Amino acid sequence: MPAYEQIAIENVRPSIDGGRHPVKMVVGDPCVVEATIFRHGHDRMQAVVRWRGPDDPQPREVPMALVEPGLDRWQAELPLKAVGRHRFTVAAWTDHYASWVVELTKRVQARQPDVASEIHEGLTMVERVSRTHSGPEHDEAQALLGEMVKTESQPERLLEVASSPRALELMARLGPRADEAVCPTELAIMADRPRARTGAWYELFVRSQTSDASLPGTFRDAERRLPELSRLGFDVVYLAPIHPIGTTNRKGPNNQVGAGPNDPGSPWAIGSPAGGHKAVEPALGTLDDFDHFVAAAHGLGMEIALDLAIQCSPDHPWVKEHPEWFYQRADGTIRYAENPPKKYEDIYPVNFDTPDWRGLWDALRDVVEFWVAHGVKIFRVDNPHTKPLGFWTWLIESVHQKSPDVLFLAEAFTRPPMMQALAKRGFTQSYTYFTWRNTKAELTEYLIELSDPASASYFRPNFFANTPDILPPILQRGGRPAFKMRLVLAATLSPTYGIYSGFELCENEPIPGREEYLHSEKYEVKPRQWDAPGNLNDYLVRINRARRDNPALQHLENLTFLEVDHDEVIAYAKATPDGRNAVIVVVNLDPFAAHASTIAVPPEAIGVQPGAPYEVEDILTGARYTWGDRNYVHLDPVGGEPAHVLRVIRRAGAETRV
Amino acid sequence: MPAYEQIAIENVRPSIDGGRHPVKMVVGDPCVVEATIFRHGHDRMQAVVRWRGPDDPQPREVPMALVEPGLDRWQAELPLKAVGRHRFTVAAWTDHYASWVVELTKRVQARQPDVASEIHEGLTMVERVSRTHSGPEHDEAQALLGEMVKTESQPERLLEVASSPRALELMARLGPRADEAVCPTELAIMADRPRARTGAWYELFVRSQTSDASLPGTFRDAERRLPELSRLGFDVVYLAPIHPIGTTNRKGPNNQVGAGPNDPGSPWAIGSPAGGHKAVEPALGTLDDFDHFVAAAHGLGMEIALDLAIQCSPDHPWVKEHPEWFYQRADGTIRYAENPPKKYEDIYPVNFDTPDWRGLWDALRDVVEFWVAHGVKIFRVDNPHTKPLGFWTWLIESVHQKSPDVLFLAEAFTRPPMMQALAKRGFTQSYTYFTWRNTKAELTEYLIELSDPASASYFRPNFFANTPDILPPILQRGGRPAFKMRLVLAATLSPTYGIYSGFELCENEPIPGREEYLHSEKYEVKPRQWDAPGNLNDYLVRINRARRDNPALQHLENLTFLEVDHDEVIAYAKATPDGRNAVIVVVNLDPFAAHASTIAVPPEAIGVQPGAPYEVEDILTGARYTWGDRNYVHLDPVGGEPAHVLRVIRRAGAETRV
């Protein structure tokens, strides 16, 4: 590095918070690195992206090109081939040879009589490169030098030789980099596997996979359900905790104090004499059964996600082995979780401020690595916002060192800065406010925020339409049409979405006045009749197929809201950058009444020619329509459908870039 | 600092490029520091801005307040009292005592029967503070502890004592900061004197302050002109270089090769046997004369700005003393400035890459400090973009260490990144593209960019309406109405503006087809008749008085463009944040024809009550009008005036914050 700033390298992209956190991408994504690079005076420069993939022992270089001279903007594309962290920076230096060519060209064009001294300068530069290199590089430089010496007395001819692309490339590559400047920040890109961005999730309790509440379901039972979940089009089966459940202060139905002898307890009260976070609840089967279940899912092209809830029942082995990992009162007893007046007597929170935090952290990493070894590559993390940020940074980086393909979903429902911070510190995906966004204005504002490239570069939403903890009022009131409407929104607004089982049966009985389920599955075994009348199974098949068949639905930043003249109707389009695939979604947000509206579709949003009509096909119903700039839509959620999911059809070759 | 991240401090403002460069403000400005601060869980926090003014040996602390709880946004205000660099960072820690008060309050409100153990925790915290402090702080804590012990068995009463503002303040101030987090970046604010932001500049050649071209003007002559410049309302008198002018290859009129014996040469060809950058041209007088001239300006409330042009005539003493500071050819001769086919044989550029760059830099700093010692606190720097960025960072910081009140104006006409970079690295003000922005669209776009707070926080425009190098086509074609129009734009759009002498006489004879003056003053002595018919002296007096009397015109970020239904008419408003002063400017951009238009004024832009009419006074003509939401304007630049500069008049107390 030179002793003082000669070349400025600024505004390097992609980056988050000046490079403090890695940008999230997916292997195979076009990864364009940009920087503003300039220096004083008029000299030419060369610039490279210096980068290292997760498996590269040494950094490599990709030359950058000056793509916007008026703004000194340079660009190069990195190949993202391996899953894992890619690190890069930008370096630039003065290309004295190219500067000399430009200068000499001006003199020759101005017919300056004596340019011998200038020509001498150029020869010296080539000679030096030849002298300081060996092998083929020396030979190349020597050859160039020879040609230049031959034409030394004929400036025009010398210039032809000296300014040939081959000569410029050679000297750019081999010339000295005495004043090389390097961007002071090393930036990082986390290249994830595609499932990090796109997927349909299904959440279930293993013990409810039974037809008889007195005979709780097992891994074997759950395994028998996998082919149906695969048929429905799900990619990820996410299990409520499968670990041994404590008996001390176990909660009964509806979270009541004092469980009956047959009450199974909350799976989030983890730990019993049968083991802790690295064991399975004996009632569900054995670890072998679990392995068999995981293998079956993989065989169907699905993955299993586990819940990572860092908390313990009073019966967890750690309570005896490491009482210092918990909050101890003055009298030596351990404090249970509490948010007065609410008490959670069946759960001990973990004290991350324990002097033995290193021991605790290692044990928690061991938990994750244990399940990774059992084929689990996705973890849904319970309440990460109640644990220190530094722990998550460390845990995720540690796990990724060995297994960069592990995905972490943050279940943090809290204020935006913490939710964003968790994503920046490594969580692959995040729960969102989606269940609380209902009106057109709310959905539009929230999705504009989430789909903004600055946000989407680190915060990947996972739109759960319901969870064991959240039965949104719209589902309680709106019934089946509302379930379909919210399903379409979740599955087409966000590349990753999920439902919690029972959704497909339109279960919606709440604790009165609350947004919680009555007889919550958290405390009871809940057998279900999956083919009950009114089920949404076929609807799920069609929606999940639409997601798989249309790459446009697998992205977030490509979302464009369309102008709609009815307040209860929302419409948006998504298209792939090459314009080959485009989908228009129109949803009636009112589950109680039919509404008609006009939808304006800017041709550029879906890559069609302006002014020309085009065909669309409703992927949910098969109906076809001819659309154009303005379109009439009538959606009757009660007697018909609450939504159109329209694939744009066009003749081959008619697509335009969007 | 804790071993891992527990508290996040993000998005600290004000800052530029993540704190890499100082933010520019003016002493007395309200300086609000903001940060997003959050941690896991529900504990309460305390936060401070830790800062140091230029004269503070030790950092001080200002407590921050949580102003936007939903976004975890904290705020504090720093006093900017001294001119110079203020450094600050943000620190935050968990307030365990306040967290304990919140928790205990919940328990007491929930009527939990046994809170003795919780009360004990609080007593322990206060006891610890009492034990670890001495003097009055110990006594305060001891007193609180005593009161708490007295009420120990009555939770409600104890809570009253423990949660009193005095108790909370005491414990926030004295409690432990074990997990204190500090924003990793130290940020800086350059608090300049007011002239850094606001001023009217007048550029002149000392040698032209004469009535006879054969008797060039001197400092004594120029001094006699100062009272008139003061009367016209100028704050800064900027002199073309005053140093000895070389004779070797001196240029004649219109930059022609070969000067006649009486041709004075370009003042930018600096250096002769009479001296270099620390000497004055003997024809202008002595250094004593210069000192007298500077003192006279100060006596009139004006300042002198010098030109800092880092280049030498072949006769500069440095050429002999330090030939290594220049570009030496192989034959030992020194290379003159050249941009083929253009040649500048009278000027040697300085080689900043010289191995003796430290010697060169020191010499250049000595030049600046020499003139600072002679009362010059403003330097207009010639072509800074052709010298290394690192040099400017160093030079300006070095000079500011002793003299933080020195201002530097960057004369860089180049691509935006370099212009912005020079401003970020310390230049107080910058030349701009103003002379090339003529249409309403051009002016609006450019001013929206410049007045954006992110830009205005480091880039302060100085709108010169003309310079010895730039005679814009609009002035060539548009004559006197164009001069008035461009003067109003420069003086009211930008808090700092300038004219180069001759502007007030509407001089506009170009080299045909170029935007340069014919018979440029750069190569000739140019006597002028200052009271010639058609002069703009009175107009200047009124405009400069308007700028002084209306604080709204002394700022940039307060600019709002108004809706105007004619393409040749531009209108904008500026108001002070308290709404007490507001000015509306309407300009007909067409110097050839009268145009009428309707101007829409949003009441909030000027701090008036919506719907109510108000009075405005044209500061240039004294005419009064009643204005409201929409107003008809007719401007005739030929027969009348090209612009309105309207001060909003209202009854005392009727202002609203804007």
Side-chain angles (χ1 to χ4, degrees):
Chain A
M1 295 283 282
Y4 50 90
E5 187 186 26
Q6 305 215 48
I7 296 175
I9 302 177
E10 296 185 346
N11 204 7
V12 180
R13 294 274 177 279
S15 88
I16 294 168
D17 294 355
R20 210 165 293 162
H21 309 287
V23 170
K24 293 192 177 82
M25 293 192 165
V26 164
V27 282
D29 276 354
C31 174
V32 176
V33 173
E34 292 195 333
T36 303
I37 304 173
F38 53 97
R39 54 158 287 153
H40 58 286
H42 305 283
D43 279 341
R44 290 296 191 274
M45 286 180 292
Q46 294 294 333
V48 292
V49 178
R50 197 166 287 154
W51 70 283
R52 207 150 46 84
D55 308 321
D56 296 331
Q58 293 294 326
R60 319 172 187 210
E61 286 185 354
V62 184
M64 301 185 83
L66 179 58
V67 290
E68 259 186 286
L71 292 173
D72 300 309
R73 200 74 178 146
W74 296 64
Q75 206 178 72
E77 189 168 328
L78 291 196
L80 294 184
K81 287 182 180 162
V83 169
R85 198 171 281 216
H86 294 62
R87 292 161 207 280
F88 71 96
T89 190
V90 169
W93 60 93
T94 306
D95 185 341
H96 292 289
Y97 181 83
S99 308
W100 168 82
V101 167
V102 170
E103 191 73 17
L104 184 63
T105 305
K106 282 190 198 165
R107 288 177 193 276
V108 169
Q109 283 170 352
R111 312 214 162 276
Q112 289 196 356
D114 182 12
V115 290
S117 160
E118 280 72 22
I119 287 178
H120 180 71
E121 271 181 41
L123 292 175
T124 307
M125 282 191 256
V126 181
E127 189 275 331
R128 197 186 142 188
V129 163
S130 142
R131 183 159 38 80
T132 53
H133 287 81
S134 56
E137 294 169 337
H138 165 84
D139 298 346
E140 279 182 276
Q142 196 57 42
L144 173 61
L145 184 62
E147 285 179 67
M148 284 169 69
V149 168
K150 251 188 273 175
T151 55
E152 195 173 352
S153 57
Q154 299 152 283
E156 283 90 350
R157 286 202 48 208
L158 175 125
L159 207 46
E160 254 174 61
V161 174
S163 66
S164 72
R166 185 180 62 85
L168 288 167
E169 186 281 327
L170 178 76
M171 291 299 290
R173 181 157 43 88
L174 304 182
R177 303 183 177 185
D179 64 348
E180 182 184 271
V182 181
C183 164
T185 318
E186 188 186 62
L187 297 105
I189 295 165
M190 179 63 193
D192 283 307
R193 56 200 177 95
R195 185 62 66 232
R197 177 158 58 207
T198 308
W201 290 45
Y202 186 86
E203 174 174 1
L204 62 79
F205 287 67
V206 172
R207 68 188 183 197
S208 290
Q209 309 311 305
T210 175
S211 51
D212 178 352
S214 66
L215 284 173
T218 63
F219 291 122
R220 293 280 163 177
D221 296 319
E223 189 174 325
R224 276 190 288 277
R225 187 131 185 271
L226 290 176
E228 170 65 4
L229 294 177
S230 170
R231 188 190 73 83
L232 293 176
F234 289 102
D235 306 299
V236 178
V237 178
Y238 150 48
L239 311 181
I242 57 169
H243 313 301
I245 299 172
T247 49
T248 302
N249 297 327
R250 178 178 282 188
K251 296 294 180 82
N254 293 308
N255 199 22
Q256 76 202 19
V257 177
N262 295 323
D263 289 335
S266 163
W268 281 272
I270 293 168
S272 82
H277 284 76
K278 295 201 279 194
V280 295
E281 162 63 38
L284 303 180
T286 65
L287 201 50
D288 282 347
D289 293 338
F290 177 75
D291 290 344
H292 201 272
F293 168 77
V294 170
H298 290 176
L300 291 161
M302 295 191 297
E303 280 192 67
I304 300 303
L306 284 193
D307 194 293
L308 180 63
I310 304 179
Q311 55 193 30
C312 298
S313 98
D315 310 313
H316 196 292
W318 286 349
V319 175
K320 278 200 183 113
E321 292 165 15
H322 298 285
E324 71 280 9
W325 291 357
F326 300 88
Y327 293 94
Q328 289 174 283
R329 293 161 175 271
D331 64 3
T333 60
I334 289 175
R335 179 175 292 172
Y336 51 79
E338 200 174 359
N339 186 14
K342 285 192 204 164
K343 296 183 182 188
Y344 307 90
E345 297 93 338
D346 57 338
I347 289 169
Y348 286 171
V350 165
N351 177 8
F352 277 83
D353 287 332
T354 171
D356 184 35
W357 59 270
R358 287 181 200 273
L360 171 67
W361 289 24
D362 283 345
L364 292 169
R365 185 196 49 200
D366 287 351
V367 167
V368 174
E369 291 187 341
F370 177 87
W371 293 108
V372 170
H374 283 272
V376 176
K377 295 293 185 91
I378 307 183
F379 294 87
R380 176 272 196 194
V381 179
D382 196 71
N383 284 322
H385 57 296
T386 60
K387 286 94 189 171
L389 286 164
F391 168 70
W392 297 117
T393 309
W394 173 85
L395 178 76
I396 296 170
E397 280 190 20
S398 301
V399 170
H400 278 172
Q401 267 165 26
K402 287 185 204 162
S403 313
D405 56 345
V406 174
L407 314 182
F408 294 88
L409 164 63
E411 187 239 16
F413 295 115
T414 181
R415 297 183 296 281
M418 174 57 88
M419 292 177 66
Q420 292 158 3
L422 290 165
K424 288 177 181 174
R425 278 151 190 81
F427 276 93
T428 319
Q429 297 182 353
S430 309
Y431 277 68
T432 70
Y433 304 138
F434 170 66
T435 45
W436 300 285
R437 297 292 179 271
N438 288 289
T439 66
K440 182 157 84 171
E442 286 167 357
L443 286 163
T444 306
E445 185 191 12
Y446 192 44
L447 267 298
I448 284 174
E449 178 193 321
L450 292 179
S451 63
D452 183 279
S455 169
S457 69
Y458 67 91
F459 189 95
R460 295 199 189 102
N462 187 332
F463 274 11
F464 264 86
N466 67 329
T467 81
D469 289 312
I470 311 171
L471 173 60
I474 183 73
L475 298 183
Q476 298 180 23
R477 290 185 293 107
R480 194 169 184 274
F483 278 79
K484 290 172 77 174
M485 177 262 283
R486 295 293 297 179
L487 178 61
V488 170
L489 290 172
T492 60
L493 282 169
S494 175
T496 295
Y497 88 103
I499 59 168
Y500 149 60
S501 56
F503 186 97
E504 66 271 51
L505 302 176
C506 305
E507 291 176 1
N508 67 348
E509 195 181 0
I511 296 174
R514 311 262 299 266
E515 62 178 39
E516 285 171 58
Y517 285 93
L518 188 66
H519 296 298
S520 166
E521 196 169 357
K522 285 160 71 178
Y523 312 101
E524 302 175 43
V525 175
K526 207 163 186 113
R528 293 183 177 89
Q529 190 192 333
W530 300 111
D531 57 355
N535 73 68
L536 299 177
N537 292 342
D538 282 357
Y539 204 66
L540 278 167
V541 168
R542 274 172 284 158
I543 282 178
N544 284 333
R545 191 181 297 145
R547 289 170 41 87
R548 287 201 186 166
D549 292 348
N550 291 279
L553 293 177
Q554 297 164 15
H555 290 260
L556 179 62
E557 314 90 293
N558 62 347
L559 178 66
T560 309
F561 283 98
L562 306 177
E563 201 188 306
V564 178
D565 58 8
H566 195 295
D567 257 6
E568 302 266 22
V569 178
I570 194 168
Y572 42 92
K574 286 186 167 185
T576 52
D578 62 7
R580 280 169 189 271
N581 180 239
V583 174
I584 299 166
V585 180
V586 189
V587 183
N588 177 352
L589 299 173
D590 175 4
F592 304 107
H595 294 297
S597 184
T598 303
I599 319 289
V601 184
E604 65 278 11
I606 55 165
V608 296
Q609 298 299 333
Y614 49 93
E615 294 279 295
V616 297
E617 181 192 19
D618 190 326
I619 314 177
L620 304 182
T621 62
R624 288 203 171 206
Y625 310 92
T626 300
W627 271 42
D629 290 355
R630 299 193 77 80
N631 311 282
Y632 174 84
V633 165
H634 179 268
L635 288 166
D636 177 2
V638 184
E641 291 294 335
H644 284 312
V645 178
L646 304 165
R647 185 171 63 89
V648 177
I649 301 167
R650 73 205 92 194
R651 285 180 303 280
E655 64 273 357
T656 53
R657 282 189 79 84
V658 291
Chain B
M1 295 283 280
Y4 50 91
E5 186 186 26
Q6 305 215 47
I7 296 174
I9 302 177
E10 296 185 346
N11 205 6
V12 181
R13 295 276 177 279
S15 89
I16 293 168
D17 294 357
R20 210 165 294 163
H21 309 288
V23 170
K24 293 192 177 84
M25 292 192 167
V26 164
V27 280
D29 276 355
C31 174
V32 175
V33 173
E34 292 196 331
T36 303
I37 304 174
F38 53 98
R39 53 158 288 153
H40 59 286
H42 305 284
D43 280 340
R44 291 295 190 276
M45 286 179 292
Q46 295 293 334
V48 293
V49 177
R50 198 165 288 155
W51 70 283
R52 207 149 46 84
D55 308 321
D56 296 331
Q58 292 295 326
R60 320 172 188 210
E61 286 187 352
V62 184
M64 300 186 84
L66 178 59
V67 291
E68 258 186 286
L71 292 173
D72 300 309
R73 200 75 178 144
W74 297 63
Q75 207 178 73
E77 190 169 329
L78 291 194
L80 294 183
K81 288 181 178 162
V83 170
R85 198 171 281 217
H86 294 62
R87 291 162 208 278
F88 72 97
T89 189
V90 169
W93 61 92
T94 306
D95 185 341
H96 292 289
Y97 181 82
S99 308
W100 168 82
V101 166
V102 170
E103 192 74 15
L104 184 63
T105 305
K106 281 189 200 166
R107 288 178 194 276
V108 169
Q109 283 169 351
R111 310 215 162 273
Q112 290 196 355
D114 184 12
V115 290
S117 159
E118 280 71 22
I119 287 178
H120 180 71
E121 271 182 40
L123 293 175
T124 306
M125 282 191 256
V126 180
E127 189 274 331
R128 196 187 144 188
V129 162
S130 141
R131 184 159 37 79
T132 53
H133 287 82
S134 56
E137 294 168 338
H138 166 84
D139 298 345
E140 279 182 276
Q142 196 58 42
L144 172 61
L145 184 62
E147 284 179 65
M148 285 169 69
V149 168
K150 250 188 273 175
T151 55
E152 194 173 353
S153 58
Q154 297 153 283
E156 284 90 350
R157 286 202 47 209
L158 175 126
L159 207 47
E160 256 175 57
V161 174
S163 66
S164 70
R166 186 180 62 85
L168 288 167
E169 186 281 327
L170 178 76
M171 292 298 291
R173 181 157 43 89
L174 304 182
R177 303 183 177 185
D179 64 348
E180 181 183 273
V182 181
C183 165
T185 320
E186 189 187 61
L187 298 105
I189 295 165
M190 179 63 193
D192 283 307
R193 57 198 177 96
R195 184 62 64 231
R197 177 157 58 208
T198 308
W201 290 46
Y202 186 87
E203 173 174 3
L204 61 80
F205 286 66
V206 172
R207 68 189 183 196
S208 291
Q209 310 311 306
T210 175
S211 51
D212 179 352
S214 67
L215 284 173
T218 64
F219 290 123
R220 293 281 163 178
D221 296 319
E223 188 175 324
R224 277 190 287 280
R225 186 130 185 271
L226 290 176
E228 170 65 2
L229 294 178
S230 169
R231 188 189 74 82
L232 294 176
F234 289 103
D235 305 300
V236 177
V237 178
Y238 151 48
L239 311 181
I242 56 171
H243 312 302
I245 299 172
T247 49
T248 303
N249 298 325
R250 178 179 281 191
K251 296 294 180 83
N254 293 308
N255 199 22
Q256 76 201 20
V257 176
N262 295 321
D263 289 335
S266 163
W268 279 273
I270 296 170
S272 83
H277 284 77
K278 295 202 277 192
V280 294
E281 162 64 38
L284 303 180
T286 65
L287 201 50
D288 281 346
D289 293 338
F290 176 75
D291 291 344
H292 201 273
F293 168 76
V294 170
H298 290 175
L300 291 161
M302 294 191 298
E303 280 191 66
I304 299 303
L306 284 192
D307 195 292
L308 180 63
I310 305 180
Q311 56 192 26
C312 298
S313 99
D315 310 313
H316 196 291
W318 286 349
V319 175
K320 278 200 184 116
E321 293 164 17
H322 298 284
E324 72 280 9
W325 291 357
F326 300 88
Y327 293 92
Q328 288 174 284
R329 293 162 176 271
D331 63 5
T333 60
I334 289 176
R335 177 175 292 170
Y336 51 78
E338 199 175 0
N339 186 14
K342 287 192 202 164
K343 295 182 182 188
Y344 307 90
E345 297 93 338
D346 57 339
I347 288 170
Y348 286 172
V350 165
N351 178 8
F352 277 83
D353 287 332
T354 171
D356 184 34
W357 58 270
R358 287 180 199 275
L360 170 66
W361 289 23
D362 284 344
L364 292 168
R365 186 197 47 202
D366 289 350
V367 166
V368 174
E369 291 186 342
F370 177 87
W371 294 108
V372 170
H374 282 273
V376 176
K377 297 293 185 92
I378 307 182
F379 295 86
R380 176 272 197 194
V381 179
D382 196 72
N383 284 323
H385 58 296
T386 60
K387 287 92 189 172
L389 285 165
F391 168 70
W392 297 117
T393 309
W394 172 86
L395 179 76
I396 296 172
E397 280 189 19
S398 301
V399 170
H400 278 172
Q401 267 165 27
K402 287 186 206 163
S403 313
D405 56 344
V406 174
L407 313 182
F408 294 88
L409 164 62
E411 188 241 16
F413 295 115
T414 180
R415 297 183 297 282
M418 175 56 89
M419 292 177 64
Q420 292 158 5
L422 290 165
K424 288 178 181 175
R425 279 151 188 80
F427 277 92
T428 319
Q429 298 181 354
S430 309
Y431 277 67
T432 70
Y433 304 137
F434 171 67
T435 44
W436 300 285
R437 297 293 178 272
N438 288 291
T439 66
K440 182 157 85 170
E442 287 168 356
L443 286 164
T444 305
E445 186 191 11
Y446 191 43
L447 267 297
I448 284 175
E449 179 193 321
L450 292 179
S451 63
D452 183 280
S455 170
S457 69
Y458 67 90
F459 190 94
R460 295 200 189 102
N462 187 333
F463 274 11
F464 264 85
N466 67 329
T467 81
D469 289 312
I470 311 172
L471 171 61
I474 184 72
L475 298 183
Q476 299 181 23
R477 291 185 293 107
R480 193 168 184 272
F483 278 79
K484 289 172 78 174
M485 179 263 283
R486 294 293 296 179
L487 177 62
V488 169
L489 290 173
T492 61
L493 282 170
S494 175
T496 295
Y497 87 104
I499 59 169
Y500 149 59
S501 55
F503 186 96
E504 67 270 51
L505 301 176
C506 306
E507 290 176 0
N508 68 347
E509 196 180 359
I511 297 174
R514 311 262 300 264
E515 61 178 39
E516 285 170 57
Y517 285 92
L518 189 66
H519 297 299
S520 167
E521 195 169 357
K522 285 160 70 177
Y523 313 101
E524 301 176 43
V525 174
K526 208 162 184 110
R528 293 182 175 91
Q529 189 192 334
W530 299 111
D531 56 354
N535 72 68
L536 297 178
N537 292 341
D538 282 356
Y539 204 66
L540 277 167
V541 168
R542 275 174 282 159
I543 281 178
N544 284 333
R545 192 181 297 147
R547 289 171 40 86
R548 287 201 187 167
D549 292 348
N550 292 279
L553 293 177
Q554 297 164 16
H555 290 261
L556 180 61
E557 314 91 293
N558 62 347
L559 177 66
T560 308
F561 284 98
L562 307 178
E563 203 188 305
V564 177
D565 58 9
H566 195 296
D567 258 6
E568 301 266 23
V569 178
I570 194 169
Y572 43 92
K574 285 185 168 186
T576 53
D578 63 6
R580 282 169 187 270
N581 180 241
V583 174
I584 299 165
V585 181
V586 189
V587 183
N588 178 353
L589 298 174
D590 175 3
F592 305 106
H595 294 298
S597 185
T598 303
I599 319 288
V601 184
E604 66 276 12
I606 53 165
V608 297
Q609 297 299 332
Y614 50 91
E615 295 279 297
V616 296
E617 181 192 21
D618 191 326
I619 314 178
L620 304 182
T621 62
R624 287 201 171 207
Y625 310 92
T626 299
W627 271 43
D629 290 356
R630 299 193 76 80
N631 311 282
Y632 174 84
V633 165
H634 180 269
L635 288 166
D636 178 2
V638 184
E641 290 294 334
H644 284 311
V645 179
L646 303 165
R647 184 172 63 89
V648 177
I649 302 168
R650 72 204 93 194
R651 285 181 302 281
E655 63 273 357
T656 55
R657 282 188 77 84
V658 293

